[in-house]
Amino acid sequence: MQRLLASLRRDRRAAMIASLVLGVVLAVLPFVVGGALGNSWLRVLDFALLYIMLALGLNIVVGFAGLLDLGYIAFYAVGAYLYALLASPHFGLHLPVWLIIPAGAVLAGIFGVLLGAPTLRLRGDYLAIVTLGFGEIIRIFLNNLNAPVNITNGPQGISGIDPIRMGGISLARPIDFLGITVPSLHAYYYLFLALALLIVFVSIRLEDSRIGRAWVAIREDEIAAKACGINTRNIKLLAFAMGASFGGVAGGLFAGFQAFVSPESFSLMESVMVLCMVVLGGMGHIPGVILGGILLTVLPEFFRHSAGPLQVTLFGKVLLDPEALRMLLFGLALIAVMLYRPAGLWPSGTRRRELGSDAA
Amino acid sequence: MTVADSVLLEARNVDKRFGGVRALQAVSLTIRTGEIYGLIGPNGAGKTTFFNVLTGLYAPDGGTLLFAGAALAASSPHTAAARGIARTFQNIRLFANMTALENVMVGCHVRTRAGVLGAVLRDRRTRGEEEAIRRRAEELLHYVGIADRAHDLARYLPYGDQRRLEIARALATGPRLLALDEPAAGMNGTEREALRVLIEGIRKDGTTVLLIEHDVKLVMGLCDRVAVLDHGARICEDVPAVVQKDARVIEAYLGPGENVHA
Amino acid sequence: MDIFLQQIINGLVLGSIYALVALGYTMVYGIMGLINFAHGEVVMLGALVALSVVSVLAGSGLPGVVIALLGLAVAALVCMAVGFTIERIAYRPLRKAPRLAPLITAIGVSIVLQNLAMLVWGRNYHAFPPVLPASQHEILGATITSLQLAIIAIAALMMAALVLLIQRTRLGRAMRATAENPAIAQLMGVDIDRIISFTFVIGSALAAVAGLMVSANYSIAHYYMGFILGLKAFTAAVLGGIGNIAGAMIGGILLGLIESLGAGYIGDLTGGFLGSHYQDVFAFFVLICVLVLRPSGLVGEKLAERA
């Protein structure tokens, strides 16, 4: 795999063919998955794309800049609630999606700076607990801001959220496109795919830039980075803002897709999951993080679908609570992967080393 | 040896305390443009503390620092770098998981401008700047003599090359004053000689050098002027020949009542 | 005045429990620099095991205190075994790995323990049988139960014993040496592996005690209780200065007091705008303020950045 990628980098034509193949695969994937596995897996696919966006956002903060953030899901919440409040019967507002999603990115970015600013002097694990605290504070506010003025509708959440509309066409219903009927889940897939690709593109461009190098320098050695003239305060805040804005975009899409948001979706466990995607995939390495996002969305679902039936085949009946069993297996998988590959499944170091020895 | 007369850095009565310890006591010294200036002293004399104050890592508790005629007041490391003071570290601090080339490219950060928008859009100006950064970094690696290791991760470089890389990275910030904290530590004779040539070259190319060093032979052979710190106080500042004969310096190094067998 | 005093008493009880759990976090952090994310789940296991034992023995006719102590003994043994195993399997192989790797295995262990508990005890809340005497005492208009008194006293006793262990014994000295510098401690003949195992075992025993206290005091236990409790205790440890034993105790007590006073008075403070639901916000808010002003916690020493 590594060698294949290295050779792709050298050979332009091979790279073109590879991206063409990848493009075709991504284009027909929803039809294959939907046809072979049904709609529930298609939803999983849509969620995988949302989680990839989240993981790439957190990757900027944790992977590039090395700032351990355990409250990242708050920015997802900001994007989701912004969409919910501006496009639902709750306030009677129905603003268009092309306005809300960018606004969500900007607002989440602002939150990123606001929450990041007080934490700048903190190191490592202190930073983790403070960001965790911020994440919880935002969730608690979402839970309780239904009184005295009802803003978030409390634990019940906000329902009846407008579906995402593109050019007057709602993605919530099947769309006729050149005589082909594109079901709703497929339409969302293509939209999410487009935005996920955009975020991948932005991530790649940022990584290989003056800003990206400054982030990694801070991660590697903050004092040396300062001595190199990097204004670590501003560059860290920039990392928080960029990472958060990706989360804001994903949150807005989530709200439109689900047509419902509630504080429950933004628990600490969600932050932890996104962090696991980043670390398990390979911190700071974009393909690894994407892999982590896909795996950790698909794996629990796989266990969900197999935990019950597997018991029936083995013992003739369901002995153990399938929900507990699936999370148990998931936890074991996390441990096993980290023990086997402590730097993640697909870390960046190996690639670099290989290229380095090629050059030498 | 040409020693220009204009003053580049002037420290006046710089104080630094850690709790009850006075790490620097009214240290005054003057570094002139274009010279190689040595700062020596026994272990714990306050050399590195002075470095950290100079480069903005510590705020001084008293006194002033004038750099190129203007105060270095309440500065932070990145503003010190922006003003033109670059440094290396006693215990090498490289960006271990970046390549040698990338390490030097980070050094160019302070003299370049591209932001997020430029990075994402890669407009012509950003591309030009990136190109210039890369070219400059390659030049500097060549300059310090490790061009062949450009694409190796910094942590895989041998020790001597790591020292050189750190100097290249510091030079990338475009300094007027390059401060080297024990650059020869742990080097063998050949490596030291190569380092001496490199430092001479850096000075010849127009950068003033401040050198902390334990190797007295290297300092005396290389520096135009030398200051000696002992217990946080500057006890002497002069040309090497004078410093070597200074009674206080001898006492500081060898203890009272001993003779020099240098 | 009596409400104030009542909140102080509640805060002390809660704080004693937080402190015991926080010690588990802080000892492991002090020695290995690792957040043992799964520690809260060990508390939960302690609570459920103790509750099960007590439930079985509740009809046996033994005195309540004896039943509770038996429950504690079994819970402590189980927790110590679990703590020992966690370190062996999930942390020891990763000692030289990138810093976040053991954090992920810790999260994995946490998920595993929680769901194991769900498989064994189910999703329901379990009530703690009323075996302990429920006598109440009046102090200056506030009430304190004998259980609450016992909790504060036992917690204080355990902490004193821990301090003695760390300050006065050979083992304690080895622990301090390992915390200071593992490599040097090893050169001096300290068996680091043993010390780390031992630290996990002690922390888990304290967790079992805390688990019993929580379930007895609030008369309830369930598989999900460890998460939030662990989170609060970790907050307390950080508040005091993580890695610092005295810090964990002070942080724990302080957080308990802040929470209970916060819950009691936050309505008045904000003119009724924020209700007692915001008690957690209050705790985190204080934590953030403390850390922003003193980045290494209340008691943690200020580590100068070294160049």
Side-chain angles (χ1 to χ4, degrees), chain B:
Chain B
M1 233 168 255
T2 53
V3 176
D5 272 358
S6 74
V7 172
L8 182 62
L9 178 91
E10 187 178 356
R12 281 191 206 140
N13 298 319
V14 173
D15 273 308
K16 180 70 199 172
R17 283 182 293 275
F18 294 107
V21 183
R22 291 190 68 186
L24 294 177
Q25 307 182 30
V27 171
S28 296
L29 39 89
T30 310
I31 301 176
R32 296 179 194 140
T33 305
E35 70 181 346
I36 299 177
Y37 187 99
L39 187 59
I40 61 171
N43 275 325
K47 304 182 298 284
T48 296
T49 305
F50 180 79
F51 247 50
N52 289 342
V53 170
L54 171 68
T55 52
L57 214 52
Y58 298 156
D61 294 316
T64 49
L65 284 159
L66 288 172
F67 184 70
L72 270 176
S75 85
S76 50
H78 70 267
T79 48
R83 286 285 302 277
I85 301 174
R87 72 171 293 177
T88 63
F89 295 88
Q90 189 178 334
N91 43 349
I92 307 174
R93 301 187 83 130
L94 289 168
F95 307 123
N97 290 303
M98 298 175 97
T99 63
L101 186 68
E102 285 169 330
N103 266 273
V104 185
M105 288 170 84
V106 170
C108 297
H109 182 93
V110 70
R111 304 282 169 230
T112 46
R113 307 226 326 260
V116 168
L117 220 56
V120 174
L121 300 178
R122 260 187 214 171
D123 54 317
R124 191 184 312 164
R125 224 202 63 186
T126 312
R127 283 201 307 270
E129 190 182 279
E130 272 299 289
E131 188 50 43
I133 291 173
R134 181 172 288 270
R135 219 176 316 116
R136 176 87 183 120
E138 281 165 355
E139 277 167 23
L140 283 168
L141 285 178
H142 187 75
Y143 184 76
V144 301
I146 53 171
D148 55 327
R149 311 306 296 259
H151 297 286
D152 287 354
L153 292 187
R155 62 189 163 112
Y156 294 130
L157 294 187
Y159 182 81
D161 288 356
Q162 293 196 355
R163 286 260 176 231
R164 289 168 173 276
L165 177 55
E166 221 190 3
I167 294 176
R169 188 181 67 186
L171 286 173
T173 67
R176 300 181 65 180
L177 176 66
L178 176 66
L180 304 173
D181 196 345
E182 295 200 22
M187 284 187 171
N188 63 31
T190 350
E191 287 171 329
R192 269 161 206 251
E193 178 53 25
L195 179 73
R196 201 187 59 76
V197 172
L198 177 62
I199 295 174
E200 287 275 17
I202 290 169
R203 186 262 294 276
K204 198 173 291 168
D205 292 331
T207 307
T208 308
V209 178
L210 167 61
L211 184 70
I212 289 184
E213 193 42 72
H214 256 127
D215 183 347
V216 176
K217 216 174 105 196
L218 181 73
V219 171
M220 295 305 176
L222 190 59
C223 294
D224 303 314
R225 289 188 312 131
V226 175
V228 185
L229 285 183
D230 187 34
H231 293 105
R234 194 213 74 193
I235 54 176
C236 177
E237 182 189 43
D238 215 315
V239 294
V242 177
V243 169
Q244 267 171 317
K245 299 201 175 73
D246 190 291
R248 285 165 305 177
V249 175
I250 294 160
E251 190 180 309
Y253 267 90
L254 301 173
E258 300 264 349
N259 290 318
V260 198
H261 307 286

Side-chain angles (χ1 to χ4, degrees), chain A residues 178-199:
Chain A
L178 302 174
I180 310 167
T181 308
V182 181
S184 168
L185 286 171
H186 294 57
Y188 273 112
Y189 169 84
Y190 291 119
L191 174 66
F192 290 2
L193 180 65
L195 282 163
L197 286 176
L198 178 70
I199 283 178

Side-chain angles (χ1 to χ4, degrees), chain C residues 127-159:
Chain C
F128 196 89
V131 294
L132 293 168
S135 58
Q136 301 198 334
H137 312 272
E138 293 264 326
I139 313 172
L140 302 169
T143 42
I144 183 164
T145 64
S146 35
L147 176 63
Q148 288 179 318
L149 269 177
I151 287 177
I152 295 175
I154 292 173
L157 207 70
M158 310 266 333
M159 288 190 250

Side-chain angles (χ1 to χ4, degrees), chain C:
Chain C
M1 195 59 202
D2 49 344
I3 293 182
F4 179 73
L5 193 65
Q6 191 64 54
Q7 298 293 2
I8 294 273
I9 290 172
N10 294 344
L12 278 178
V13 172
L14 188 60
S16 304
I17 296 170
Y18 284 161
L20 285 183
V21 183
L23 282 170
Y25 281 103
T26 229
M27 285 196 298
V28 167
Y29 190 92
I31 287 197
M32 302 173 72
L34 163 81
I35 304 175
N36 179 11
F37 215 82
H39 190 61
E41 310 305 335
V42 178
V43 180
M44 173 273 294
L45 275 186
L48 281 168
V49 169
L51 183 139
S52 296
V53 172
V54 170
S55 300
V56 168
L57 296 177
S60 66
L62 287 166
V65 176
V66 174
I67 293 178
L69 284 178
L70 282 172
L72 178 63
V74 177
L77 282 176
V78 170
C79 288
M80 285 152 90
V82 168
F84 179 83
T85 314
I86 293 175
E87 192 271 325
R88 265 298 165 81
I89 293 177
Y91 301 148
R92 186 169 298 184
L94 291 175
R95 253 183 236 161
K96 296 208 167 66
R99 205 173 53 91
L100 285 184
L103 186 69
I104 302 297
T105 51
I107 291 167
V109 168
S110 182
I111 294 173
V112 167
L113 289 181
Q114 214 179 81
N115 288 284
L116 265 182
M118 189 159 124
L119 287 176
V120 174
W121 282 279
R123 289 161 186 268
N124 298 330
Y125 287 72
H126 295 268
F128 196 89
V131 294
L132 293 168
S135 58
Q136 301 198 334
H137 312 272
E138 293 264 326
I139 313 172
L140 302 169
T143 42
I144 183 164
T145 64
S146 35
L147 176 63
Q148 288 179 318
L149 269 177
I151 287 177
I152 295 175
I154 292 173
L157 207 70
M158 310 266 333
M159 288 190 250
L162 183 69
V163 170
L164 277 182
L165 174 85
I166 289 174
Q167 296 298 336
R168 291 289 162 81
T169 64
R170 249 179 84 82
L171 195 67
R173 196 162 60 224
M175 284 171 76
R176 281 182 284 139
T178 309
E180 200 66 43
N181 187 331
I184 304 230
Q186 200 154 27
L187 284 179
M188 295 297 149
V190 175
D191 182 351
I192 304 233
D193 287 342
R194 224 180 53 119
I195 296 298
I196 290 177
S197 285
F198 186 74
T199 308
F200 271 83
V201 169
I202 300 183
S204 303
L206 293 178
V209 177
L212 175 72
M213 287 175 173
V214 178
S215 54
N217 192 44
Y218 300 98
S219 306
I220 214 158
H222 61 116
Y223 80 97
Y224 198 65
M225 67 188 279
F227 182 70
I228 193 76
L229 186 65
L231 188 59
K232 293 290 182 59
F234 180 56
T235 304
V238 175
L239 186 65
I242 192 154
N244 184 309
I245 301 281
M249 298 176 191
I250 294 170
I253 303 279
L254 207 61
L255 189 70
L257 288 173
I258 290 167
E259 273 197 44
S260 90
L261 289 175
Y265 289 97
I266 195 167
D268 296 342
L269 283 174
T270 58
F273 180 72
L274 301 176
S276 59
H277 319 287
Y278 288 96
Q279 120 178 35
D280 291 348
V281 173
F282 209 66
F284 283 123
F285 183 73
V286 170
L287 172 82
I288 290 165
C289 289
V290 167
L291 284 186
V292 167
L293 296 175
R294 268 190 71 91
S296 48
L298 288 173
V299 190
E301 61 243 81
K302 202 163 165 1
L303 300 166
E305 280 185 310
R306 295 194 59 125

